[in-house]
Amino acid sequence: MSCFTTHEAKENDEEDSRVFKRHKTTFVEPKEDKDKEKEKKKEKKVYRDEVNELQEEGKHAIDDPSLSPDLAGTFILDEGEERSMIEPASRDDLKFKELQKVLIEWINDTLVENRIIVKDIEEDLFDGQILGKLIEKLADIKLEVAEVTQSEQGQKQKLKTVLDTTNRLLNLPRWNHQQKWSMEMGWRQDKWSADSIHSKNIVAIIHLLVALAQHFRAPIRFPEHVSVNVVVVQRRDGQLATRKVVEELTTTNDMMQGKFERDAFDTLFDHAPDKLNVVKRSLITFVNKHLNKINLEVTDLDTQFADGVYLVLLMGLLEGYFVPLYSFHLTPDSFDQKVHNVQFSLELMQDGGLPKPKARPEDIVNLDLKATLRVLYNLFTKYKHLN
């Protein structure tokens, strides 16, 4: 009896073991299920790739200068409204990429103290946040704008404030059909707007950045003769029409920097730097002979004329009149005020019969020694015999 029981128990144990193994294997994912899961993931990836490809094709279709009427019909534009897009070939142009690189490096160098890093011109500058910081740094001013704006309306309002200040700093008139060009450098205010920049129009953004870099004498060299092809789509009489425009972003560095014919100071700086100190001492002696009359003294030509105050006072002394204090900033505390002072002094010089100086006010404010020496030498030439 006991033997039978033992044998039966053994058979039961073996059966239980087989059942356990069968149940255990049901919890292991079958190979065919794994394959199905991999296939699903693969299908999802293919779908994502197809979507991305379709989006990219749509983008290139928009950029295509041979935009067909069917594709053009997908644009939703109001009557008279237009939209511009850079051609893919231009976007891939090496000079265009180099220009972007130069501008990005300049912005990052300028804003290094703000711990701001720009990586993409379109994505990082469209909302006005970094553009505002750039203007504040370059012009040494404080903009009255919200620090952070999330809504589209708020961003556009901030952009408008930034651009209004920028256009004023660039001496641009308010845009109209009769006067589009800056008298100074040929910048066109209609090359950028709050709407175009907020819509990430890279051509408009670069036009603005190049103008700022030129105006504030950025220590950079642009790639020369950079042009891009832009497709403009406009709704006229209920129909969408396209045209291609060539946008010139840079010319030559000499032209963009507003250089004139070389003069004695170019030669002095290039070929006779040893004689520079002799010239500076002579000019210091000349200006101090007059400034000492009102208990002022210059010891450093490189910096002491940069705010324009000494230039204004010097002109009053040389011409024998009192300059009203309300007509200039006696203690300027911003780039804009310093430029005003220097510009005012240059106007006084022209009123006194001196030729229009080659230097720009911004050059002197930015401590351009050659520009400062040119202005002072003009004064020395006319007034050197004045006691």
Side-chain angles (χ1 to χ4, degrees), residues 86-97 99-100 203 206-207 223-230 245-252 256:
I86 185 172
E87 284 187 354
S90 290
R91 187 179 285 273
D92 294 335
D93 181 75
L94 293 180
K95 280 190 174 182
F96 181 65
K97 288 185 175 181
L99 177 59
Q100 293 180 72
V203 175
I206 287 180
H207 271 306
E224 298 184 339
H225 300 295
V226 179
S227 297
V228 292
N229 293 326
V230 174
V245 177
V246 178
E247 288 282 354
E248 185 180 56
L249 300 175
T250 68
T251 55
T252 66
M256 294 171 69

Side-chain angles (χ1 to χ4, degrees), residues 22-39:
R22 284 200 302 274
H23 280 284
K24 185 177 179 181
T25 57
T26 60
F27 292 98
V28 178
E29 186 178 7
K31 185 176 185 302
E32 54 269 21
D33 289 345
K34 286 185 178 180
D35 292 340
K36 287 181 180 179
E37 185 64 27
K38 287 181 180 180
E39 189 64 29

Side-chain angles (χ1 to χ4, degrees), residues 1 10 13 22 24 78 95 101 104 120 130 147 149 179 188 194 267 269 290 297 317 336:
M1 181 70 177
K10 185 177 180 180
D13 288 343
R22 284 200 302 274
K24 185 177 179 181
D78 295 329
K95 280 190 174 182
K101 180 174 179 290
I104 287 174
D120 186 283
I130 294 177
E147 190 66 24
T149 51
Q179 191 178 24
R188 286 177 60 175
T267 304
F269 273 74
H290 300 283
E297 184 172 4
L317 291 167
D336 208 19

Side-chain angles (χ1 to χ4, degrees), residues 1-266:
M1 181 70 177
S2 62
C3 182
F4 175 79
T5 302
T6 302
H7 179 72
E8 183 179 359
K10 185 177 180 180
E11 288 182 345
N12 289 338
D13 288 343
E14 290 176 353
E15 180 65 22
D16 289 343
S17 177
R18 286 194 296 272
V19 170
F20 173 76
K21 287 179 181 180
R22 284 200 302 274
H23 280 284
K24 185 177 179 181
T25 57
T26 60
F27 292 98
V28 178
E29 186 178 7
K31 185 176 185 302
E32 54 269 21
D33 289 345
K34 286 185 178 180
D35 292 340
K36 287 181 180 179
E37 185 64 27
K38 287 181 180 180
E39 189 64 29
K40 286 182 180 179
K41 290 182 178 179
K42 186 177 180 181
E43 288 176 358
K44 287 182 180 179
K45 183 178 184 303
V46 170
Y47 174 74
R48 285 197 303 268
D49 291 343
E50 288 177 349
V51 170
N52 292 336
E53 185 178 351
L54 184 60
Q55 289 175 337
E56 193 65 21
E57 287 177 357
K59 177 179 178 299
H60 287 310
I62 292 174
D63 288 341
D64 192 343
S66 57
L67 194 66
S68 70
D70 292 338
L71 286 173
T74 63
F75 286 105
I76 302 176
L77 298 175
D78 295 329
E79 182 66 26
E81 185 182 356
E82 67 178 32
R83 185 182 304 172
S84 61
M85 298 137 287
I86 185 172
E87 284 187 354
S90 290
R91 187 179 285 273
D92 294 335
D93 181 75
L94 293 180
K95 280 190 174 182
F96 181 65
K97 288 185 175 181
E98 176 64 18
L99 177 59
Q100 293 180 72
K101 180 174 179 290
V102 169
L103 289 170
I104 287 174
E105 290 177 352
W106 168 59
I107 295 171
N108 288 338
D109 288 343
T110 303
L111 298 179
V112 64
E113 293 180 359
N114 299 75
R115 298 182 179 180
I116 290 174
I117 298 178
V118 171
K119 295 182 179 180
D120 186 283
I121 284 180
E122 292 169 286
E123 296 297 329
D124 295 340
L125 301 183
F126 81 96
D127 61 358
Q129 181 76 14
I130 294 177
L131 274 177
K133 293 296 182 184
L134 182 63
I135 294 298
E136 288 182 334
K137 184 68 175 180
L138 292 173
D140 192 20
I141 60 175
K142 178 64 177 176
L143 294 172
E144 297 299 326
V145 293
E147 190 66 24
V148 178
T149 51
Q150 298 293 340
S151 69
E152 180 178 339
Q153 182 179 358
Q155 289 174 352
K156 285 187 176 181
Q157 182 58 45
K158 181 173 185 174
L159 263 175
K160 185 178 183 304
T161 301
V162 171
L163 294 182
D164 284 346
T165 302
T166 300
N167 294 336
R168 179 172 54 81
L169 290 170
L170 296 177
N171 298 320
L172 288 173
R174 288 191 177 275
W175 185 88
N176 58 59
H177 292 291
Q178 287 74 38
Q179 191 178 24
K180 290 183 181 179
W181 294 87
S182 166
M183 296 299 291
E184 182 183 7
M185 295 294 286
W187 299 315
R188 286 177 60 175
Q189 185 173 335
D190 62 338
K191 289 293 185 183
W192 56 78
S193 66
D195 286 334
S196 63
I197 290 178
H198 193 268
S199 65
K200 302 181 183 180
N201 185 323
I202 189 170
V203 175
I205 296 173
I206 287 180
H207 271 306
L208 174 61
L209 293 176
V210 169
L212 286 172
Q214 288 177 252
H215 182 76
F216 289 101
R217 288 295 194 248
I220 58 179
R221 290 188 66 82
F222 295 112
E224 298 184 339
H225 300 295
V226 179
S227 297
V228 292
N229 293 326
V230 174
V231 180
V232 180
V233 183
Q234 184 181 41
R235 181 172 291 279
R236 293 199 303 262
D237 300 325
Q239 301 294 321
L240 288 181
T242 64
R243 70 181 190 275
K244 182 189 292 186
V245 177
V246 178
E247 288 282 354
E248 185 180 56
L249 300 175
T250 68
T251 55
T252 66
N253 279 288
D254 282 354
M255 290 179 64
M256 294 171 69
Q257 292 169 6
K259 290 188 176 179
F260 301 81
E261 289 185 17
R262 289 178 60 84
D263 60 11
F265 282 99
D266 292 308

Side-chain angles (χ1 to χ4, degrees), residues 291 296-298 304-305 307-315:
L291 289 176
L296 296 176
E297 184 172 4
V298 170
Q304 285 184 270
F305 288 97
D307 63 6
V309 175
Y310 278 15
L311 283 175
V312 172
L313 296 175
L314 183 59
M315 274 310 301

Side-chain angles (χ1 to χ4, degrees), residues 307-343:
D307 63 6
V309 175
Y310 278 15
L311 283 175
V312 172
L313 296 175
L314 183 59
M315 274 310 301
L317 291 167
L318 293 173
E319 284 292 322
Y321 55 73
F322 174 76
V323 182
L325 297 181
Y326 62 78
S327 59
F328 69 104
H329 303 280
L330 192 59
T331 55
D333 58 5
S334 71
F335 183 89
D336 208 19
Q337 291 181 357
K338 294 174 185 178
V339 169
H340 169 83
N341 284 352
V342 176
Q343 180 62 45

